[in-house]
């Protein structure tokens, strides 16, 4: 019988940390390597089931870009006991909802929320496709066309749709795991054979490369018993190969790289910025999140106040910064603006970078009021996420898969509350200077100085934070 590791008596520090995630966390590991994390909460008769696989686009090899995301689609195409498309039908017929999957550079996850009485059904469905996925030429050809259409809808046809590709190509060197998008290369997907995806399944979709999380009105021992029943007979596939090396010679890019993209199909000029930043597992990442919030989130943020409220230079909804939570080697901090009609992009960029520089050089340091506002916003985000069972199960999967310990979920708010104004300025000085900057400028024929940058390649493929949906 699989042993369940329940939590021991807590120290005072551990009790304080638990206040930010007050639900129990229990762990077990099956003989085949599947990790099971259970967080009971009897207040609502539902259960969130989340299965994280430790494979994303960063694991893809040269010539195989887009495989992780396309494989996510194939996981809904049937298995030994579930016909094509029936996974959705089984879940919804049982009263379940919120069923979907996403692929990021770092992982792929599958999820659904069920009445707790239907927990067994959800585990059976997930185990059936883990152990007996129906990979056929027909399903591959069908889903390959679906992904092509998705690319057209999300990248090729929307205004500014390819800025992420362009920016990440310049932010990370050729061959780096974050250099390409999760949706990948249509040419490489078109050339891929069925055997390529059978090999992908055999390598990565193994119980010893997965974490099952269940949160809600469940009994811990019963969850583990059901996991044993349905997943226990699936053979582990051997050692999982490491992802390509994501280490960089230095965090900084080393220069400002600029790409001008002439495009008369866009409604107005727009400029995007990207900076390399500490990754999501770095001790400074909470300070990076605070920095993004101070600079660019909402009407109280510095960029909005300067570019919109004070100077009236930029569009109201399009002056902000944010950060992705890439977890290995480096992440990215990014921002954008769009000038108001009659305002030149160069004038807005001058004010935009002046705001960054004033924080970077300490001439306009972060105030306690700004720090408090940013911390409050991020705390609210966190509490909103853990208040929902689906978000709770997802976070447990994230910490178990990426950080190696689901209980680290309890440390997030403490790390956030420990960030000081000095920490924010320190990370600003690290990541925002002009020797760590990529600029993607969309211009129209009416934009002054609209010549593309010499030698710039606007036909490459770069990495989105996440591709969602099957």
């Amino acid at each position: 019988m699989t042993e369940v590791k329940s939590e021991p008596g807590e120290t005072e520090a551990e009790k304080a940390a638990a206040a930010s995630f007050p639900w129990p966390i229990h762990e077990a590991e099956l003989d085949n390597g599947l990790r099971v994390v259970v967080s009971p909460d009897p207040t609502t008769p539902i259960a969130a089931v989340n299965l994280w696989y430790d494979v994303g686009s960063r694991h893809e090899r040269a010539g195989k870009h887009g495989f992780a995301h396309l494989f996510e689609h194939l996981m809904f195409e049937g298995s030994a006991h579930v016909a094509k498309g029936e996974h959705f039908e089984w879940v919804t017929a049982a009263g379940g909802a919120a069923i979907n999957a996403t692929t990021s550079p770092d992982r792929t996850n599958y999820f659904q929320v069920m009445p707790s009485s239907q927990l067994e059904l959800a585990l059976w469905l997930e185990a059936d496709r883990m152990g007996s996925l129906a990979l056929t030429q027909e399903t591959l050809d069908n889903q390959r066309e679906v992904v092509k259409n998705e690319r057209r809808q999300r990248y090729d046809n929307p205004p500014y749709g390819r800025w992420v590709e362009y920016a990440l190509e310049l932010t990370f060197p050729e061959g780096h795991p974050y250099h390409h998008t999760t949706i990948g290369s249509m040419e490489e997907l078109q050339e891929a054979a069925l055997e390529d995806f059978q090999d992908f399944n055999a390598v990565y979709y193994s119980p010893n490369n997965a974490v099952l999380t269940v949160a809600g009105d469940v009994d811990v021992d019963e969850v583990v018993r059901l996991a044993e029943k349905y997943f226990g007979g699936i053979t582990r596939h051997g050692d999982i190969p490491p992802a390509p090396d994501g280490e960089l010679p230095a965090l900084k890019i080393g220069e400002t790289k600029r790409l001008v993209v002439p495009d008369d199909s866009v409604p107005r000029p727009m400029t995007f910025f990207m900076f390399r930043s500490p990754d999501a597992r770095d001790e400074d990442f909470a300070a990076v999140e605070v920095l993004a919030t101070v600079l660019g989130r909402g009407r109280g943020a510095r960029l909005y106040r300067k570019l919109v409220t004070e100077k009236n230079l930029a569009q109201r909804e399009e002056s902000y910064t944010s950060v992705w939570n890439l977890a290995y080697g480096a992440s990215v901090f990014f921002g954008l603006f769009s000038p108001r009609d009659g305002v030149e992009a160069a004038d807005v960029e001058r004010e935009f970078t002046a705001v960054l520089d004033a924080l970077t050089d300490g001439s306009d340091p972060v105030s306690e009021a700004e720090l408090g506002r940013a911390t409050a916003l991020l705390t609210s985000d966190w509490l909103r996420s853990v208040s929902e069972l689906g978000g709770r199960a997802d976070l447990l999967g994230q910490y178990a898969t990426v950080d190696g310990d689901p209980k680290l979920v309890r440390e997030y708010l403490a790390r956030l509350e420990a960030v000081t104004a000095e920490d924010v300025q320190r990370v600003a000085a690290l990541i925002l200077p002009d020797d760590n900057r990529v600029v993607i400028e969309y211009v129209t024929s009416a934009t002054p100085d609209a010549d593309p940058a010499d030698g710039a390649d606007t036909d490459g493929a770069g990495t989105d934070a996440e591709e969602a949906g099957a």
Side-chain angles (χ1 to χ4, degrees):
M1 179 66 182
T2 300
E3 179 185 359
V4 178
K5 293 194 300 182
S6 298
E7 297 176 291
E10 296 174 316
T11 65
E12 290 303 314
E14 288 169 334
K15 289 178 181 177
S20 66
F21 193 96
W23 304 276
I25 301 172
H26 304 270
E27 301 174 70
E29 184 172 323
L30 307 190
D31 290 343
N32 60 12
L34 178 70
R35 298 170 61 195
V36 182
V37 181
V38 187
S39 183
D41 178 1
T43 56
T44 308
I46 57 177
V49 176
N50 205 309
L51 192 62
W52 276 54
Y53 289 90
D54 191 7
V55 59
S57 59
R58 77 183 185 94
H59 295 82
E60 295 164 348
R61 308 292 162 170
K64 310 292 185 183
H65 298 140
F67 277 36
H69 174 236
L70 179 51
F71 198 89
E72 171 212 312
H73 283 250
L74 294 172
M75 284 284 279
F76 290 90
E77 292 298 289
S79 49
H81 304 98
V82 181
K84 176 181 176 180
E86 281 191 354
H87 194 117
F88 286 97
E89 295 175 12
W90 281 89
V91 171
T92 55
I99 173 176
N100 214 323
T102 65
T103 305
S104 82
D106 295 333
R107 60 43 179 180
T108 308
N109 70 334
Y110 302 83
F111 50 90
Q112 52 258 297
V113 177
M114 306 287 285
S116 50
S117 61
Q118 298 297 320
L119 171 66
E120 185 168 5
L121 172 63
L123 298 187
W124 173 73
L125 287 167
E126 290 294 356
D128 201 58
R129 61 181 173 182
M130 176 190 281
S132 63
L133 187 65
L135 288 172
T136 68
Q137 191 65 50
E138 178 187 1
T139 59
L140 173 58
D141 291 342
N142 175 270
Q143 290 306 304
R144 185 156 39 199
E145 292 305 311
V146 171
V147 170
K148 287 180 182 179
N149 189 52
E150 181 179 342
R151 179 183 172 89
R152 286 189 287 268
Q153 291 179 340
R154 296 187 60 183
Y155 292 82
D156 297 337
N157 295 339
Y160 326 107
R162 297 191 65 192
W163 84 266
V164 169
E165 292 185 305
Y166 301 149
L168 285 166
E169 283 185 329
L170 298 176
T171 301
F172 294 99
E174 182 75 34
H176 189 277
Y178 294 150
H179 180 80
H180 63 280
T181 59
T182 49
I183 206 161
S185 162
M186 294 303 99
E187 292 77 13
E188 291 176 6
L189 288 178
Q190 186 61 45
E191 294 172 0
L194 178 62
E195 291 76 15
D196 291 319
F197 290 92
Q198 292 170 334
D199 291 344
F200 191 90
N201 183 36
V203 171
Y204 295 110
Y205 274 71
S206 172
N208 54 309
N209 199 42
V211 175
L212 171 68
T213 59
V214 179
D217 184 21
V218 297
D219 176 80
V220 176
D221 291 334
E222 178 66 2
V223 172
V224 175
R225 185 189 71 81
L226 291 172
E228 286 272 19
K229 178 179 178 180
Y230 293 113
F231 291 91
I234 303 173
T235 303
R236 63 186 296 150
H237 298 176
D239 294 335
I240 309 300
D245 186 12
E247 290 300 314
L248 295 159
L251 178 66
K252 289 189 175 186
I253 297 167
E255 60 180 311
T256 293
K257 297 181 178 182
R258 180 180 293 268
L259 173 66
V260 178
V261 184
D263 189 345
D264 282 333
S265 72
V266 300
R268 64 175 70 93
M270 189 173 291
T271 300
F272 299 87
F273 296 82
M274 186 170 282
F275 313 79
R276 285 210 298 247
S277 80
D279 68 40
R281 300 181 300 164
D282 192 280
E283 61 183 9
D284 279 333
F285 191 72
V288 176
E289 291 183 295
V290 172
L291 171 63
T293 307
V294 167
L295 279 175
R297 181 170 172 182
R299 298 190 175 197
R302 288 193 177 195
L303 286 167
Y304 190 98
R305 296 200 315 266
K306 177 62 71 174
L307 300 183
V308 179
T309 305
E310 296 178 20
K311 300 277 188 174
N312 199 29
L313 294 174
Q315 298 290 330
R316 288 181 176 272
E317 71 280 10
E318 291 163 351
S319 305
Y320 76 103
T321 55
S322 189
V323 62
W324 287 344
N325 62 341
L326 303 177
Y328 298 92
S331 189
V332 291
F333 184 102
F334 64 94
L336 65 86
F337 70 79
S338 182
R340 293 180 64 86
D341 292 343
V343 177
E344 291 190 12
D347 294 333
V348 188
E349 183 173 342
R350 191 175 304 111
E351 293 292 341
F352 187 101
T353 56
V355 172
L356 304 189
D357 293 342
L359 183 55
T360 297
D361 63 21
S363 60
D364 189 7
V366 175
S367 69
E368 289 301 317
E370 288 178 311
L371 181 65
R373 172 184 176 273
T375 302
L377 285 170
L378 292 168
T379 299
S380 178
D381 292 344
W382 169 264
L383 295 176
R384 187 179 305 112
S385 179
V386 299
S387 70
E388 300 174 351
L389 287 174
R392 210 178 301 166
D394 191 59
L395 282 168
L396 289 169
Q398 171 189 320
Y399 279 95
T401 304
V402 176
D403 295 276
D405 183 357
K407 294 184 177 66
L408 292 177
V409 71
R410 291 182 169 149
E411 298 182 6
Y412 175 76
L413 286 186
R415 291 199 306 271
L416 182 62
E417 292 165 1
V419 173
T420 66
E422 291 75 21
D423 292 330
V424 178
Q425 186 183 333
R426 177 170 48 79
V427 297
L430 174 66
I431 67 178
L432 296 181
D434 60 8
D435 62 350
N436 187 42
R437 191 176 294 175
V438 167
V439 184
I440 308 297
E441 184 181 2
Y442 278 81
V443 298
T444 66
S445 56
T447 306
D449 303 322
D451 293 331
D454 289 343
D457 174 9
T458 59
D459 292 322
T463 298
D464 199 357
E466 187 171 280
E467 297 292 348

